[in-house]
Amino acid sequence: MIHPTIGKRYERQKKTFNNIVRILFSFAGIYWIVIYLLQWMGMISNYELSDLRSGQTWIYFILLTTWGVEYLRESKRYKSIMNQANSHRIPPDEVTLESIEQSLPSFAIMHPIAQGSRAWTMPIVNIVMLVLSLTLIIKQYTALTIASIQ
């Protein structure tokens, strides 16, 4: 649907971002299986289970927010392509990178595509949110390990 000049810079970032989000969601989801399995095996108490579950809320909040914002940005990207295509009466796959220069910063997901400080805003936000999610997931698994050993 998009011209190769856009896709070459955008598609790899999109794929990388989506894969990282999927992996983080997977680790957050597997955590639930592990805590209930450990409780069933009697390795953690009901009190510890409650404590271990409470930390998951922030992980899902951050991941869902990050994914949701990126989803909204993606619709904005496609809208800019469609607007350009409609204004020039061409198919959307003929809209080139040069013709959407104004909205180019919105195509940045993991690293900037355009020049300027505005181009770094969302990649930095996305990376910080993904690192924060990973940190919280590691914290949860660490707390689980400590609780199951005691």
Side-chain angles (χ1 to χ4, degrees):
M1 175 170 159
I2 59 177
H3 194 270
T5 58
I6 300 169
K8 186 168 57 171
R9 293 194 176 175
Y10 167 67
E11 291 295 331
R12 179 190 265 163
Q13 289 189 60
K14 179 182 170 185
K15 185 177 180 178
T16 301
F17 176 82
N18 287 336
N19 285 338
I20 291 170
V21 169
R22 280 188 200 105
I23 289 168
L24 292 174
F25 267 118
S26 296
F27 279 120
I30 290 169
Y31 179 83
W32 289 99
I33 296 168
V34 173
I35 63 172
Y36 283 113
L37 181 65
L38 291 176
Q39 188 218 16
W40 179 74
M41 294 171 55
M43 296 178 73
I44 58 175
S45 67
N46 287 340
Y47 175 76
E48 290 169 320
L49 178 68
S50 175
D51 207 30
L52 291 167
R53 287 189 320 209
S54 68
Q56 288 294 97
T57 306
W58 281 106
I59 295 168
Y60 286 106
F61 175 75
I62 293 167
L63 284 174
L64 285 170
T65 301
T66 305
W67 175 79
V69 167
E70 199 50 47
Y71 179 80
L72 290 174
R73 291 183 70 230
E74 185 168 359
S75 67
K76 183 180 176 182
R77 290 178 201 118
Y78 289 130
K79 184 178 178 181
S80 69
I81 291 172
M82 293 303 294
N83 287 341
Q84 191 69 21
N86 290 337
S87 69
H88 289 89
R89 299 181 195 273
I90 58 174
D93 61 341
E94 290 182 19
V95 174
T96 64
L97 186 69
E98 295 79 31
S99 61
I100 57 164
E101 198 73 34
Q102 293 281 47
S103 59
L104 204 52
S106 71
F107 283 81
I109 302 172
M110 300 294 284
H111 58 82
I113 292 177
Q115 300 296 322
S117 61
R118 188 176 141 220
W120 277 98
T121 304
M122 284 313 293
I124 289 173
V125 169
N126 284 339
I127 290 168
V128 166
M129 296 298 263
L130 293 174
V131 168
L132 182 58
S133 297
L134 177 62
T135 303
L136 291 173
I137 289 169
I138 291 170
K139 181 182 174 221
Q140 284 294 98
Y141 276 99
T142 303
L144 176 62
T145 303
I146 292 169
S148 65
I149 292 173
Q150 295 177 348

